[in-house]
Amino acid sequence: MGKILVPGGAGYIGSHTVAELLNGGFEVVVADNLETGHKQAVHPGAKLYIGDIRDRAFLNGIFETESIDAVIHFAAYSLVGESMTDPLKYYDNNVGGTRNLLEAMIAYGVTKIVFSSSASVYGEPESIPIYETDPVHPTNTYGATKLTMEQMLSWTRIAYGVSYISMRYFNACGAHPDGCIGEDHRPETHLIPLILQAANGVRPEIQIFGSDYDTKDGTCIRDYIHVCDLAAAHELALRHLLNGGESEIINLGNGVGFSVLEIIKAAEDVLGRTIPSVSANRRAGDPARLVASGEKAGMLLNWSPEYTDIREIIQTAWRWHSTHPEGFKVT
Ligand code: UDP
């Protein structure tokens, strides 16, 4: 089938994709510095190299030892707030790390890469749903680095023939249905894990960031997509490239928007209890609405999400959070 290098394979979306690839018959080599990823999240069927993609000797060692056919690249910092207070940290790791990875790939003749991009490249959208051809105006450093990384791939394709698929994720959420891996960011900043932590007493309450947006109930609308659906899309994108397919940029979402209040209500329905919440100020840089058009992913990759019921998505997340209230325990 092929041997796939997955930088960032110990992270949230990376670890779910590693499990999906192994299930699909691929050999998987994970490269992760474990700064934000977790060793326990890496499937035992994958080979783990602990190190940093900014370290060229580390990457050379992997490419020399393993016969890599393609790369799925997740290794990046992803905290929007931190990206605004420490932008150069994001340029160094996200942009610098990707440049280093691409240089190593080219040196060892590896020419296919699936890249973890983000809906944050769109910034405040002009219309909903968002198409891949819509303008890109990131409103935070994190999104700006993802856009720069996409552009780096595009120029690298022209110069060196590296083919790529950039996946622009909307709001990744949920956990593997087997309950062994799930979301564990430190600090946690994402809505669904924070709601579930408020539900199981890890936090006193969930703060609702802004109740005066121009939306149906005043709270922000997002497109929540299950992490296993994202993982499946990565495998399809990989197969597309391995079969000689063209380079593409693809949105990954459910195509449906839920407000913050609707997500809290759905979580209350799933858990059968009230979850404490308080109104808080808007969070800087939050667009009112982000909803994907999934047309291109459907047409090009024949991908459609399996998890279309937000309650079922929250149920999988709850299974993880209720059995792992402290996430992956530090060993
Ligand atoms: N949000 C919130 N309270 C929180 C965390 C998030 O109200 O404690 C809102 C946030 O303003 C956004 C939505 O939930 O509208 C999803 O935020 P998240 O950080 O999960 O993902 P993002 O959309 O920023 O990628």
Side-chain angles (χ1 to χ4, degrees):
M1 288 293 289
K3 193 182 272 191
I4 312 304
L5 174 63
V6 185
Y12 173 44
I13 304 171
S15 60
H16 286 77
T17 302
V18 167
E20 175 81 17
L21 292 174
L22 289 167
N23 199 31
F26 290 95
E27 283 183 82
V28 181
V29 174
V30 170
D32 203 298
N33 64 9
L34 300 181
E35 193 182 332
T36 55
H38 308 277
K39 199 172 181 177
Q40 303 91 319
V42 179
H43 193 289
K47 187 166 173 186
L48 171 64
Y49 285 83
I50 300 173
D52 199 299
I53 59 165
R54 286 164 288 186
D55 177 353
R56 185 61 195 276
F58 168 68
L59 288 180
N60 287 352
I62 297 175
F63 281 108
E64 263 158 39
T65 313
E66 311 286 346
S67 178
I68 300 295
D69 294 295
V71 174
I72 305 187
H73 174 30
F74 295 97
Y77 292 138
S78 63
L79 298 176
V80 170
E82 183 188 55
S83 80
M84 296 300 281
T85 53
D86 203 352
L88 299 180
K89 175 177 174 179
Y90 278 66
Y91 277 92
D92 176 47
N93 190 33
N94 297 7
V95 176
T98 301
R99 187 209 62 215
N100 213 33
L101 175 65
L102 286 168
E103 280 176 353
M105 285 174 60
I106 292 158
Y108 287 91
V110 179
T111 58
K112 297 175 191 327
I113 178 167
V114 178
F115 170 62
S116 166
S117 187
S118 164
S120 62
V121 299
Y122 294 111
E124 186 75 52
E126 284 166 19
S127 56
I128 296 289
I130 302 173
Y131 292 90
E132 290 83 353
T133 46
D134 284 357
V136 280
H137 301 296
T139 53
N140 55 60
T141 313
Y142 167 68
T145 61
K146 287 283 170 176
L147 183 57
T148 301
M149 292 148 90
E150 282 194 2
Q151 290 163 340
M152 201 188 315
L153 288 170
S154 168
W155 293 113
T156 306
R157 178 187 71 79
I158 293 166
Y160 306 107
V162 170
S163 55
Y164 67 91
I165 302 233
S166 281
M167 304 287 222
R168 292 180 177 167
Y169 316 146
F170 284 64
N171 288 63
C173 56
H176 200 285
D178 76 6
C180 292
I181 49 176
E183 195 165 5
D184 181 0
H185 296 113
R186 300 176 192 191
E188 188 53 76
T189 61
H190 294 109
L191 181 66
I192 292 177
L194 290 174
I195 290 174
L196 298 179
Q197 288 178 353
N200 67 9
V202 173
R203 287 170 198 275
E205 67 213 358
I206 177 75
Q207 295 187 312
I208 298 163
F209 292 153
S211 303
D212 56 352
Y213 285 96
D214 181 19
T215 59
K216 54 190 163 189
D217 60 22
T219 63
C220 284
I221 294 187
R222 292 288 180 277
D223 180 337
Y224 293 88
I225 178 75
H226 197 279
V227 65
C228 290
D229 282 324
L230 291 180
H234 284 79
E235 188 187 346
L236 291 170
L238 176 69
R239 290 182 191 278
H240 168 93
L241 292 178
L242 291 173
N243 290 332
E246 295 290 317
S247 297
E248 301 283 353
I249 293 174
I250 298 179
N251 284 342
L252 294 177
N254 252 313
V256 183
F258 289 97
S259 72
V260 173
L261 290 179
E262 285 173 333
I263 295 293
I264 296 173
K265 172 74 174 62
E268 289 180 334
D269 290 349
V270 170
L271 274 56
R273 64 177 92 153
T274 304
I275 298 171
S277 63
V278 291
S279 292
N281 290 334
R282 288 184 178 200
R283 189 171 62 178
D286 263 349
R289 271 184 213 83
L290 287 174
V291 180
S293 160
E295 261 175 45
K296 187 170 177 184
M299 273 165 35
L300 204 93
L301 301 179
N302 199 19
W303 174 82
S304 60
E306 280 186 20
Y307 290 88
T308 52
D309 176 353
I310 191 66
R311 286 171 184 75
E312 193 189 352
I313 293 177
I314 293 172
Q315 182 66 55
T316 66
W318 179 235
R319 188 173 308 141
W320 161 254
H321 286 286
S322 56
T323 53
H324 300 77
E326 295 170 55
F328 294 101
K329 280 211 166 56
V330 179
T331 52

